[in-house]
Amino acid sequence: SPPTMSDILTASRLQNLDIRLQKLGPFFRIGARNLSTGAELGRAEGMIRVWFGGRRILHLDSLRLTKETLGMDRSIFGIGLFIGAVAIRHGFDCGCDTAELLAINDSEIYHSKLVRFYRRLGFKEAHEVKGSSMADLGHMLVWGGIGTRMDADLHYLMTKWCSRFK
């Protein structure tokens, strides 16, 4: 069975992470701090998008890790994974079946690393937002930039990563 929010938060405290989820209507913010120092390590923001017919999508706007994380022994992948797990569990609890994000393309090297990172998490490329067509305009308004739009099945993500949080 997938990890509960409580499982994820308990596991994060064992890693010296204090992760908090704040909600305001469909919007959410997740903050991660070092339990010992209180220093911010990262944050994610997004919203629950409701489509016609009541279908819900977890829309991840941003995931940012601070420079403080680079100095820690644990991998950035680990901290990003905890923040992502809270977002995914939140979406799951809100009835979402899909998560979507944009692997922003502000530099080719960084972009390919981001795409590989999200692919490793379980996301698949859905659309290249290049900014060169009218079809891209909607994507650019939603995401605020160009890059690779990626989607993932939430139940698959919960199942794939649950062993990390039990």
Side-chain angles (χ1 to χ4, degrees):
S1 67
T4 63
M5 187 65 86
S6 176
D7 292 335
I8 297 165
L9 295 176
T10 299
S12 73
R13 280 190 292 277
L14 294 172
Q15 295 294 314
N16 201 33
L17 296 172
D18 177 26
I19 299 188
R20 304 214 174 168
L21 168 67
Q22 297 170 291
K23 302 176 270 193
L24 182 64
F27 301 96
F28 65 86
R29 172 184 284 161
I30 298 157
R33 294 189 171 281
N34 180 318
L35 256 180
S36 316
T37 67
E40 186 182 30
L41 301 174
R43 72 168 53 170
E45 294 173 350
M47 67 185 282
I48 306 297
R49 285 177 46 177
V50 181
W51 289 93
F52 304 104
R55 182 168 178 244
R56 293 163 181 262
I57 293 177
L58 175 68
H59 175 94
L60 296 164
D61 257 336
S62 65
L63 171 61
R64 291 193 183 88
L65 300 172
T66 62
K67 288 200 170 54
E68 169 104 2
T69 38
L70 300 174
M72 298 178 72
D73 0 343
R74 81 179 54 84
S75 73
I76 289 178
F77 188 70
I79 293 169
L81 190 62
F82 276 102
I83 295 171
V86 171
I88 288 160
R89 183 70 227 194
H90 173 60
F92 193 78
D93 291 343
C94 290
C96 298
D97 55 5
T98 304
E100 64 177 16
L101 54 80
L102 185 76
I104 203 90
N105 189 350
D106 39 19
S107 91
E108 203 46 56
I109 294 166
Y110 187 64
H111 176 250
S112 64
K113 282 183 179 172
L114 264 183
V115 170
R116 278 199 312 274
F117 172 77
Y118 291 126
R119 213 186 279 138
R120 211 169 125 195
L121 287 177
F123 283 80
K124 292 181 173 72
E125 290 92 329
H127 181 77
E128 277 308 316
V129 180
K130 293 185 169 90
S132 54
S133 70
M134 283 304 285
D136 282 351
L137 192 60
H139 286 290
M140 290 177 70
L141 288 171
V142 168
W143 299 104
I146 60 168
T148 306
R149 221 234 31 246
M150 301 180 78
D151 295 349
D153 174 85
L154 275 190
H155 195 74
Y156 169 76
L157 292 182
M158 296 277 291
T159 311
K160 179 176 177 162
W161 294 106
C162 71
S163 62
R164 295 284 288 258
F165 304 105
K166 290 285 189 184

